[in-house]
Amino acid sequence: MTEETTTAGVAGGADAAARRQSRRAELAAALTRTRARLADACSAAGRDPAEVSLIAVTKTYPASDALLLAELGVTDVGENRDQEAAPKAAEVAAAGADLRWHFIGQLQRNKCRSVVRYADVVQSVDSVRLAAALDAAATAGRDRPLDVLVQVSIDADPVRGGALPDDGDPDRSLSAVADRLAAAGSLRLAGLMAVAPLGWEPERAFARLAEVAARFRSAHPQAAVLSAGMSGDLETAVAYGATHVRVGSALLGMRSTLG
């Protein structure tokens, strides 16, 4: 190895360390702002901030960002696509970080066997058939139950994702999906997840969700998780009872339109 090569290697390492430190500072500042927003939202709602958990949505961002967030005290991260999440979770685990992985995107039944290997929570179950496939995969691929949320459709649009609050569709009705999950041997029904529909004001969306959640908990009182609210509407979600908020761009920056 020549002196020039050694010098270039040292300079490259220094540049990488500087970039890492700069990114860590960016994430630390964003995390401080987000935690302050959550604290203010809880105060306005008369809630204890300990009641609301932050999920950092790391989709399209590298494992290095997840590792930096772990260093900064983040415990929960969310991913939308198995093909990205699986290798990212493996890289983070290999680096020694202990993160709780939430799968929050639309889940295809043929991806269940992969997802159950790294996910701690699946938030997007919206059909009886998907619940059955996930149960079978968890039975074969896990040594402990998998926490699951039912994704509920706030506007009851059958074309979009989410279980339907009424009982019209035997595969996608909220009660049928919840009952299948509650009966599953390898899954644990933990609660509900929802996304505010496009074109709906957050106040309207989360007020409707709170009504659905109240009825849901009367049938499944142990399933108290309510995952709702993102970067732009977390305050309203907290006001209407969210226990988990999923924050991406407010923490990690704006994503590529391809993400």
Side-chain angles (χ1 to χ4, degrees):
M1 182 179 293
T2 66
E3 181 178 348
E4 289 81 0
T5 301
T6 302
T7 301
V10 171
D15 287 346
R19 288 193 298 271
R20 183 183 188 280
Q21 192 59 31
S22 175
R23 181 57 170 163
R24 190 181 193 279
E26 289 176 0
L27 293 175
L31 185 59
T32 296
R33 290 192 299 270
T34 301
R35 285 174 169 161
R37 286 179 62 190
L38 277 176
D40 289 346
C42 288
S43 177
R47 299 181 61 190
D48 183 345
E51 296 176 1
V52 183
S53 298
L54 172 65
I55 301 170
V57 180
T58 51
K59 67 176 185 179
T60 77
Y61 286 96
S64 57
D65 277 352
L67 289 167
L68 288 171
L69 288 169
E71 287 182 15
L72 294 167
V74 170
T75 58
D76 293 73
V77 294
E79 288 285 333
N80 282 51
R81 297 176 180 173
D82 174 66
Q83 58 266 39
E84 177 186 354
K88 189 182 297 185
E91 184 176 344
V92 168
D98 185 16
L99 286 170
R100 183 170 166 84
W101 293 87
H102 297 249
F103 190 86
I104 60 178
Q106 185 177 20
L107 178 59
Q108 297 174 327
R109 295 196 298 277
N110 63 0
K111 296 293 186 179
C112 287
R113 284 183 294 178
S114 175
V115 169
V116 300
R117 294 190 180 101
Y118 61 85
D120 298 286
V121 186
V122 173
Q123 296 201 6
S124 50
V125 175
D126 62 357
S127 73
V128 172
R129 286 182 295 172
L130 178 57
L134 195 63
D135 187 24
T139 298
R142 294 176 64 88
D143 59 4
R144 63 193 185 282
L146 175 68
D147 283 349
V148 176
L149 307 184
V150 183
Q151 181 177 349
V152 61
S153 171
I154 294 174
D155 59 0
D157 183 347
V159 176
R160 296 173 47 146
L164 306 174
D166 60 62
D167 291 327
D169 184 332
D171 185 51
R172 287 188 56 194
S173 78
L174 175 57
S175 61
V177 177
D179 288 345
R180 177 63 181 85
L181 291 171
S186 296
L187 307 177
R188 181 166 48 226
L189 176 62
L192 298 177
M193 183 271 269
V195 179
L198 293 174
W200 283 46
E201 290 296 323
E203 183 88 14
R204 178 189 177 199
F206 295 129
R208 168 64 176 151
L209 177 60
E211 295 172 358
V212 173
R215 292 196 299 272
F216 176 81
R217 286 175 182 151
S218 68
H220 302 280
Q222 81 288 354
V225 171
L226 184 60
S227 174
M230 297 185 288
S231 293
D233 55 19
L234 67 85
E235 287 85 359
T236 308
V238 168
Y240 281 96
T243 64
H244 292 66
V245 294
R246 309 178 303 273
V247 179
S249 59
L251 277 178
L252 292 123
M254 296 304 294
R255 294 181 174 83
S256 164
T257 56
L258 298 178

